[in-house]
Amino acid sequence: MATDGESFDYIVAGAGSAGCVIAARLSESGRYRVLLLEAGPKDTSPWIHMPMGYAKLFANPQLNWMYESEPEPELDNRTMYQPRGKVLGGTSSINGMVYMRGNPGDYDEWRQRGCTGWDWDNILPYFKSPTIIDEIRPRKLVSHRTPRWSNVDSNPRSLVSRIYAKTDIAADREHRGRLDS
C-alpha cells in the first residue's frame, strides 16, 4: 500500500485483467516502482468464484459499476445495461467465469488488414498455454479450452464442481475441428 510521499515510475489505473498484467510486467524486473489503483475491493466474494454467482454480481453496486450506454438509435433510443467490474480483477471477476477465444475468422481478418502475427494460427498457441498457476494449491489442467489451471475436481464432494467439469469436457469434445488444430 502506498503511503504519503512515495513516488512511483508508473501508475496503472484499474486492476482489471489488463491492468494487473501491465502492472506485473512493469514491476517484475524490480527496476520500476508501480502503483496499481483499484476503486473496488479484493475479489473475496464467494459469488465471484462460482459460475452461477453472476446473477448475484450483475446488480451489486459494491462490485459492479452498473453503467448504462448512451441512448442507442438502433434500439429506439433505449439504453443498454453495461456491467463492469469494480473489484480486483475487473469485469473478468464478474463475468460468470465465461471464457471464449473468439471466431478464428476474425483473427485471420486482422492479419489481412495488416496486423501481422495476429492470425488464428499464430494466436492459438497462446490460448492453449495456461499462464496462471496457483502455487499454494497445485491444480490439474482440465482442458486447453480454459484460460487457467482449474481445480474443478479438487473437491470431489462438490456437486456443482462435478457437473461443471462434466459439462466442460462434453462441450470440449463437441466443438472439435479448427478450434482444436
Side-chain angles (χ1 to χ4, degrees):
M1 178 169 282
T3 59
D4 288 343
E6 282 191 271
S7 63
F8 298 91
D9 299 301
Y10 294 96
I11 298 173
V12 179
S17 299
C20 288
V21 169
I22 290 169
R25 292 299 303 270
L26 286 169
S27 64
E28 68 189 6
S29 72
R31 180 177 176 195
Y32 301 113
R33 291 183 39 84
V34 179
L35 175 63
L36 176 62
L37 299 173
E38 173 54 52
K42 292 181 180 178
D43 64 344
T44 56
S45 168
W47 298 114
I48 289 174
H49 302 284
M50 64 179 83
M52 67 184 189
Y54 179 72
K56 296 285 188 179
L57 303 169
F58 191 72
N60 181 340
Q62 290 179 313
L63 302 173
N64 186 343
W65 289 104
M66 301 173 51
Y67 291 134
E68 291 283 334
S69 72
E70 294 295 318
E72 301 292 337
E74 297 83 6
L75 298 175
D76 199 23
N77 288 320
R78 291 182 299 232
T79 61
M80 294 179 64
Y81 181 58
Q82 302 292 318
R84 292 293 177 263
K86 181 172 53 170
V87 60
L88 194 61
T91 303
S92 294
S93 288
I94 68 164
N95 73 356
M97 303 176 103
V98 173
Y99 168 75
M100 59 175 33
R101 296 176 177 170
N103 183 331
D106 291 340
Y107 294 93
D108 291 340
E109 183 179 336
W110 292 348
R111 179 198 60 230
Q112 291 167 0
R113 291 175 178 246
C115 298
T116 305
W118 282 90
D119 57 282
W120 181 253
D121 292 334
N122 279 310
I123 294 297
L124 184 61
Y126 295 99
F127 285 125
K128 288 183 175 182
S129 171
T131 57
I132 300 171
I133 300 172
D134 184 340
E135 295 176 9
I136 297 169
R137 270 187 333 202
R139 298 172 178 201
K140 175 184 168 193
L141 179 62
V142 173
S143 162
H144 71 261
R145 300 250 176 265
T146 59
R148 60 182 165 70
W149 291 82
S150 177
N151 66 346
V152 291
D153 3 315
S154 66
N155 180 0
R157 295 170 292 165
S158 167
L159 176 62
V160 172
S161 291
R162 288 195 318 267
I163 291 171
Y164 189 72
K166 286 180 182 178
T167 303
D168 183 52
I169 291 166
D172 191 42
R173 286 185 187 133
E174 187 177 320
H175 297 287
R176 298 284 183 199
R178 184 158 189 230
L179 293 178
D180 217 16
S181 58

